[in-house]
Amino acid sequence: MKRECVSCSTGKFLGLFMIFGLACLMLTHASKTPSVTDGLSKGLGTNEEQKVVTDVGVRFKKLLRRAPRLPPRLSGNEKVSSGRFTGKPNEHDEEKWKARQRNVKEAFTHAWSGYKKFAMGYDELLPLSMQGFDGLGGLGATVVDSLDTAMIMGLEEVVSEAGSWIESNLLERISQKGDVNLFETTIRVLGGLLSAYHLSGGDQDMNLANTGPKPTIYLEIAKNLADRLLSAFTSSPTPIPYSDVLLKNSSAHPASNLLSSTSEVSTLQLEFNYLSAISGDPKYKTEGMKVFAHFKTLPKVEGLVPIYIRYVSFA
């Protein structure tokens, strides 16, 4: 029976498959490089031995690696020169992209009309209950966050409605509201104001917007908000800012677990740096960049800091 099994095609296939599987297991096991901790504690392996093992693992991984995905090829009428598209697409493609643009604008207008009807001035709209909800501190986050998108799309009616609401209500909201998250308020409200200032021509001493307030209105409100948000930096015992700010009295406090998100505190610099550039006041940039300087002093694992950092010491 043994000879008959080996002689048949199925037996041969199974035998070859078993040999291949054993070879893969041996190579995979050999490709594992001992960790630094294991090497120090057990004294296993020299640099040359580790290099041989690593080379075997790398060669094996190259055999199993998928071929990289190639970028899409351009059609004959879309040429590239110096990294930019040149030449006009054919009429069919041009009409297709215009239709897509219209669809995007219609979707945005539909979302805005629902928000304006049921939740104007609230942070967000709950679509099923058709009610407004202040989940981000009550600063009308959707109004401010939508303004720059409406400017880019050329929706002047939305720009006028959002800009007028900001001019009439936002400063009062800032001075009266309580607990807000530093990160969310920076990227949505402060960032929205700064984007509106830029797109309306404020940093060029121009007024490019046909509707809505003057660009300086956006800048003054942004400075008022940023001055209050700075308390998150100045109240912290380290350059890592606190996560929450009480806007009405410009005070800040840490999260209950005394942890700060690395991704949050290291992405505030865009807004604060730009505000310093357009206002001429370096204090916003100074506080924001202290975070990066502090990161350089922290212990790292393979060059990286953890997802969360303690306000007082490294976590």
Side-chain angles (χ1 to χ4, degrees), residues 236-264:
S236 174
T238 73
I240 303 300
Y242 284 155
S243 61
D244 298 286
V245 178
L246 295 172
L247 292 177
K248 57 185 177 183
N249 60 5
S250 299
S251 63
H253 63 88
S256 58
N257 57 6
L258 298 181
L259 293 176
S260 182
S261 167
T262 301
S263 61
E264 290 186 5

Side-chain angles (χ1 to χ4, degrees), residues 54-112:
T54 303
D55 290 343
V56 172
V58 169
R59 286 197 296 269
F60 180 68
K61 288 177 180 178
K62 284 183 179 180
L63 292 175
L64 300 179
R65 187 170 57 188
R66 293 181 179 179
R69 293 181 62 184
L70 298 177
R73 293 188 177 184
L74 301 176
S75 60
N77 60 342
E78 294 178 340
K79 298 179 181 179
V80 175
S81 176
S82 301
R84 293 188 175 184
F85 290 103
T86 59
K88 277 184 97 175
N90 58 47
E91 294 182 3
H92 173 72
D93 289 340
E94 189 172 1
E95 189 57 38
K96 177 179 68 176
W97 284 108
K98 286 182 178 180
R100 290 176 175 176
Q101 288 178 337
R102 288 193 296 268
N103 291 338
V104 172
K105 291 178 71 173
E106 288 172 3
F108 178 88
T109 304
H110 169 74
W112 173 261

